[in-house]
Every structure is written in C-alpha cells, then in structure tokens.
Amino acid sequence: MIKHFKLIICIAVSFCTRQPFFTYWVTTVQVLVMIISLCTYGVGPWGFGLSEETADVLHTTVTLKRDSIYVQQNIWLGPKFADLIHLGAKFTPCMREDPRIFAQINADRKEENETGCCIYNDGTGCFQTGHRTCPVSTLTRWNDKNPGPDKRLSGAVCGQDPRYCEDPVSVKPYEWPDDITQWPICKQRTSLVPENEKHMQCEITGRPCCIQLHGQCRITTRDYCDFVNGYFHENATLCSQVISCLSEICGMLPFLRRDQPDQWYRLFIPLFLHAGSIFYMRDLEKLLGWARIALLYMMSGIGGYLASAIFVPYRPEVGPAGSNLLERPWHAIMQLSIFTLSLFSIGTLPWIDNWAHLFGFIFGILISLGDLFLSDSIIFIFSLLLIDTCHEGLIFQTAKRRNRAKRLLIVITSLSIAFGLLFVLLAVFYSSAGLDCPYCEYFNCIPYTYHFCDNQGLRLKTWLPI
C-alpha cells in the first residue's frame, strides 16, 4: 500500500513538472480574446506609419467639408491601437497622471473659458467656440463692455444660462461660478426664456466629442464625431462638462477620481492579449512545469511592461513581449550573446519594444535563479518519500551532494535584486511622470528614414492631426 502511494506521488511529481498546462491555458485565452476582438473591432490598417482616411462630414456650420483623420497602423494584422487600449493594452496615460497630457488638457480648458456662443446670421443654429472660428459680429460673449448676469465675464454658453436653469438652480450658496469650465450640465431649463436671449433660443449644432488617444475634446457634430471614432456627449455643451475624456478612451474600469488615471492593472492584462495574429506561432511552445512557467511569465512580463511604461509611455502594447521564460538562464545568455547584433537590429524596427524585452529578460534571469532553490527543495522533500520507488534514491543522493548554503545565497541575492529593481521601477514610474530621455528612443527605434519612427509613442510632441 505504501509503495503504491509512493508510486502515485512519483507519477504526480513527474506529471506536474512536464505538462505545459499554463502554456496551453495562456495560449487558449490569447486566441479566444484575439478572435473576439477581431470580430468586435475588425482589423486596423496595416503598415508602419499613419493611414489617412478622408470623407465628407457635416460640420458645426451645417456644411459638408472633406476632412481627414490619421490612424496609426498596425504591422501585426490586428485591431487599431485605440481598440487595443480598450482591451487593456499597456498605455501609460491610463495608468498614472501624465503631466504633459494634463498640461494640454488644462490649457484647452483655459481656452474654453474664453469662448462664447457663435450664432448663425439667421439666428437658428449655434455652437460654442472662440474668435478664431467665429466672426466677432456673431459671437455672443460677455466681457467688461457687455457683462452677463450678475456682471459675469465668462460666457455666454449656447443653451445654458444660470438664470434659466431649474436643475441645478444657481442660488447662493450654490451659485454657479464666473467660470464656465466649472458650470454643471443643466438638466432642466425654465419654461419661459426671453426671445432676446439668442444664445438660449438657437439650436445647438455642436457638442463635446472625445477623440484621439490623449483625452482630446472638441465641440463638433455627431457626424464628425462618428467619423473620427470619438465619444459624443449629447447632453453636454462644454468639454469641461465631460467627466473625463481620457477615462472613456481608456475604457476598462472608470477612474476613481476625475483627473487621476489609476489603471495599474494594465501591467499584467496585456500578457493575455495580442496585437495581431502573427505572434501566435511564437508562443505555441511546450514549456516544462506549469507553476514555474507561470511565475516566470508573470514576473518577467510585469517587469518588462513597467520599464516600457516609463521609456515608451504613449504607445499601446500587448502580448508577452517581456516574458522571457528562461529554464536555463546561463545557457540562454550564451545563445543571446551569439545573436546580439541581429536581435538588436530587429529590435530597432518600429513597434518592437526593446525596453520591454530587455527588462523582461533581466527579470527572467533573476526569477529563474531564485526559483532553482525552490524546485530543488521540493525535489528533496519528495525524495525522502520516494527513495525506494523513484530511481532508487538517485534524487536523494544528488540533492544531498549540493552545496545548499551556496545556492541559498544565490537565491537570496537574485530575488533581492529582482524585487529591488521592481521597487526602483515603480518609484520612477510614479514619481518621475515627466521623465524625458531623448536618447532612450534610439534603443527602441532607429530612424533609418525621415519618418521611420514617427508616432512610436516615444514622446508627446503634438497631438495627431485631425
């Protein structure tokens, strides 16, 4: 009976260390998510740069104009990058506050405070804008010479006025401030509005639309918003009344606070996603030991994506780019040394993240070394039970001859370095949100041609043209 029990344990140990359950599970999840995402979002434009799409769309002036939108291309035959962000791709602006993006958003809000209601010459239609896009003669704006109610200087706003709103009502101490960017959405207007209040009588032709990948908002028509795949807010009249454009663009769980992105879980969700169908052939490998592989996969992947979020914050990325699963780290180092030049050359192409691969490789080595002692300890414990059944005590004799003190020192050192490096990356990620390394981009993409590395997420230069 005891021998049978030992035999069962021996078979179980051998089975658990050889069957690639985790690889099967991860690959199945990736394939299913990829199929669902392609059926839901479709395949984006293929290529290295930007793809231009043109169409005749209705503008706020109620005229058709030919417009163009530039969409980032995907070389992996997968969804658009905006769709990848919705699926949970690594995208730093969704994970923590980015000072450059919010500086642009605050500048837009400050500019919106200087806008007024642009009314058509016939008085029928109107939209919120500034002097640059509306003739002064038709722009209703309060100022020192023409103040609004209670001597307000900020406004007017098309379709909104604190005097003609019942919900929420503007009364002390809940009076609407003299800053239209802090006005709430009027849920119910008063039934009687004087006819001379033209900004309240006209039909609004433009409302807020969240577009692009960095939380940009524009006052435009629904037709234009649909053309640029934006998010239209039919109940709001100002961009500042939108809770958070960036939260809508990011998708997933909404931010707990309006202007504080907190989707930290994007460090590990991309490990179960893919940018396209080309990558799957690389991941269909049989790896020994599902528990050990799971640990290496998650730790190296999270470490790689954390580094990538620091050095290439504005590029969506999915897939196990940083999960260098190393069963024999020193053997892998020798192999990597042979192909260093060729791998680096490939890594300098667009949309291949060298930073994620580098730090994923480092974490893979450190975790592999730390995991060796754990694996040997398990083998040693089972060998005490299986000395008469599994290879006649060979496991026990082998484990006994090892210098366990020396190996324990290696384990402690490697794990200490791994967790120390992880702590440093976390500290840099959250404390140095404005980190700008102009030379770091050359490690990720070398501009072999003039526009070869355009829009690779390396820095926030200007928002994409639209």
Side-chain angles (χ1 to χ4, degrees), residues 246-280:
L246 189 58
S247 179
E248 290 187 336
I249 292 170
C250 292
M252 307 297 287
L253 297 177
F255 302 155
L256 295 179
R257 296 183 180 180
R258 176 180 180 179
D259 292 335
Q260 294 187 7
D262 52 12
Q263 297 179 353
W264 52 268
Y265 43 83
R266 290 179 180 267
L267 287 175
F268 61 86
I269 287 182
L271 297 174
F272 306 97
L273 305 174
H274 261 301
S277 57
I278 293 179
F279 260 110
Y280 285 117

Side-chain angles (χ1 to χ4, degrees), residues 153-174:
L153 303 180
S154 180
V157 176
C158 299
Q160 281 204 206
D161 194 307
R163 296 170 296 178
Y164 309 114
C165 183
E166 294 182 353
D167 184 18
V169 64
S170 177
V171 294
K172 295 181 179 180
Y174 305 104

Side-chain angles (χ1 to χ4, degrees), residues 135 197 206 224 342 461:
E197 301 290 353
Y224 185 91
S342 59
K461 298 178 181 177

Side-chain angles (χ1 to χ4, degrees), residues 332-382:
I333 291 177
M334 294 177 60
Q335 289 183 338
L336 187 63
S337 300
I338 298 175
F339 299 103
T340 297
L341 182 60
S342 59
L343 292 178
F344 178 77
S345 300
I346 296 174
T348 57
L349 297 176
W351 306 117
I352 299 178
D353 195 344
N354 266 346
W355 288 108
H357 285 113
L358 173 63
F359 279 86
F361 177 74
I362 294 174
F363 276 99
I365 292 177
L366 296 174
I367 298 300
S368 295
L369 290 174
D371 188 53
L372 287 176
F373 176 75
L374 178 61
S375 301
D376 289 343
S377 298
I378 295 175
I379 294 176
F380 178 77
I381 293 173
F382 277 110

Side-chain angles (χ1 to χ4, degrees), residues 310-329:
I310 295 174
F311 294 106
V312 280
Y314 307 114
R315 188 186 73 188
E317 185 176 346
V318 295
S323 297
N324 295 285
L325 308 179
L326 305 177
E327 282 291 321
R328 298 177 181 178

Side-chain angles (χ1 to χ4, degrees), residues 235-247:
N235 295 324
T237 55
L238 300 168
C239 283
S240 55
Q241 293 175 339
V242 178
I243 295 178
S244 176
C245 276
L246 189 58
S247 179

Side-chain angles (χ1 to χ4, degrees), residues 20 33 46 55 64 92 166 202 214 228 237 258 322 336 356 365 398 431:
V33 172
W46 181 87
L64 287 176
T92 305
E166 294 182 353
C202 58
H214 300 141
V228 299
T237 55
R258 176 180 180 179
L336 187 63
I365 292 177
T398 302
S431 63

